[in-house]
Amino acid sequence: MKLYFAVPLILLALLIAASGVAAVTSGWVLPMNRRHVRAPRIYGWGQLVVAFALCWQLVLGLILARPSGTLIGAAILLAGLIVMMIGQLAGGDRKGDGAL
């Protein structure tokens, strides 16, 4: 496994997962995304799916070297991005700036 590739991918997945947990539990979204996200909880679930897909690709693609695992991870990643897009389009208009 390429350690120089795995460590940044793990850190990226952890950051996305932390942002997703914050969006699901409290409705908090990063300041740069607040204007665009109308349904923060749906958007947060999409972030959690994207983080899971990155970890899936890391484990099955890099460690076990399975091409089918990478393909399945790409499909999960696409599903997470679609859920994030739904979080931007669905729901009512948010009032305020989204801060607690």
Side-chain angles (χ1 to χ4, degrees):
M1 177 177 68
K2 308 281 189 234
L3 194 59
Y4 62 87
F5 186 69
V7 171
L9 190 62
I10 290 171
L11 291 175
L12 180 66
L14 285 174
L15 288 173
I16 293 172
S19 177
V21 167
V24 168
T25 58
S26 66
W28 185 85
V29 181
L30 289 170
M32 64 184 142
N33 293 338
R34 284 187 188 146
R35 286 185 26 193
H36 306 290
V37 176
R38 292 185 177 179
R41 286 180 171 72
I42 296 173
Y43 187 80
W45 280 111
Q47 286 181 318
L48 290 173
V49 171
V50 167
F52 175 75
L54 289 175
C55 292
W56 179 281
Q57 287 183 338
L58 178 71
V59 170
L60 292 180
L62 291 177
I63 296 174
L64 299 178
R66 306 240 177 183
S68 62
T70 305
L71 185 62
I72 293 170
I76 297 171
L77 184 67
L78 182 63
L81 291 174
I82 290 172
V83 172
M84 287 174 66
M85 286 174 40
I86 290 170
Q88 289 181 347
L89 299 175
D93 283 332
R94 290 187 60 171
K95 304 292 184 214
D97 63 347
L100 294 176

